[in-house]
Amino acid sequence: MVIVVGNPANTNCLTASKSAPSIPKENFSCLTRLDHNRAKAQIALKLGVISDDVKNVIIWGNHSSTQYPDVNHAKVKLQGKEVGVYEALKDDSWLKGEFITTVQQRGAAVIKARKLSSAMSAAKAICDHVRDIWFGTPEGEFVSMGIVSDGNSYGIPDDLLYSFPVTIKDKTWKVVEGLPINDFSREKMDLTAKELAEEKETAFEFLASA
């Protein structure tokens, strides 16, 4: 398994995969778990629960400020019952506005506040990512991971390294299929895919001339 963390993580991961054709491209992934963990934490803070009580948030796309943190399918445990996040929060404008921008810009905000990057948070996210590859995801739970987009059912172009919701079993990831995508999500998912396609083009032009 090859896990890429250095930015631009998605495009670096795609480039690494192309440069090592003898390694199956399914063995390459990039870290969007830090964004995933941040999204869970924002929801938990808002609801006054712990982060582990929130599951099935999704980070779609690029590990950049165009990423789309999606909680349409997320659940939270409240008083022993699992409830949809939208239903639990009853604050659609926050979920479609400030929540998204906070997660998208969290890395920059941490650097601005600390004058240092969020190294421990990234290290924790790498541990989470590797643990789930090794031991699998819990039943009924999915996580976010940047993986090759080939053959996905969400209308994302092939040959990008895009963050999807995945389940993992026997050290093999599988994209979660059949999640309904509303118009708001579609627009955000396409926007981050467009950025990744542009990044890929720039990177490959540079490599071709190097």
Side-chain angles (χ1 to χ4, degrees), residues 90-140:
K90 297 181 177 64
D91 191 346
D92 290 18
S93 62
W94 182 79
L95 285 169
K96 289 183 171 179
E98 191 185 332
F99 162 72
I100 291 173
T101 53
T102 299
V103 176
Q104 287 173 332
Q105 296 164 15
R106 187 67 181 159
V110 169
I111 290 169
K112 190 177 175 189
R114 295 184 67 229
K115 310 293 184 276
L116 295 164
S117 73
S118 53
M120 283 300 286
S121 301
K124 164 74 164 64
I126 294 164
C127 291
D128 291 344
H129 183 110
V130 173
R131 183 195 64 223
D132 285 344
I133 288 174
W134 198 254
F135 295 109
T137 46
E139 191 66 37

Side-chain angles (χ1 to χ4, degrees), residues 22-161:
S22 63
I23 302 174
K25 51 191 172 184
E26 293 78 19
N27 288 17
F28 286 84
S29 61
C30 80
L31 191 75
T32 55
R33 188 59 171 268
L34 178 52
D35 311 302
H36 180 99
N37 288 350
R38 285 168 171 163
K40 282 177 61 172
Q42 289 299 317
I43 298 298
L45 277 168
K46 193 82 168 168
L47 286 167
V49 298
I50 60 169
S51 197
D52 283 349
D53 286 340
V54 182
K55 71 175 190 182
N56 297 354
V57 304
I58 302 168
I59 303 296
W60 297 100
N62 200 1
H63 174 63
S64 76
S65 60
T66 68
Q67 65 175 263
Y68 171 43
D70 176 9
V71 293
N72 282 293
H73 314 286
K75 304 263 191 249
V76 59
K77 199 183 287 176
L78 287 178
Q79 289 142 5
K81 279 200 312 188
E82 273 192 1
V83 188
V85 163
Y86 265 86
E87 188 190 334
L89 266 173
K90 297 181 177 64
D91 191 346
D92 290 18
S93 62
W94 182 79
L95 285 169
K96 289 183 171 179
E98 191 185 332
F99 162 72
I100 291 173
T101 53
T102 299
V103 176
Q104 287 173 332
Q105 296 164 15
R106 187 67 181 159
V110 169
I111 290 169
K112 190 177 175 189
R114 295 184 67 229
K115 310 293 184 276
L116 295 164
S117 73
S118 53
M120 283 300 286
S121 301
K124 164 74 164 64
I126 294 164
C127 291
D128 291 344
H129 183 110
V130 173
R131 183 195 64 223
D132 285 344
I133 288 174
W134 198 254
F135 295 109
T137 46
E139 191 66 37
E141 217 165 299
F142 49 78
V143 294
S144 305
M145 193 179 279
I147 51 170
V148 67
S149 61
D150 295 7
N152 75 87
S153 63
Y154 291 104
I156 304 304
D158 285 354
D159 206 33
L160 293 177
L161 214 296

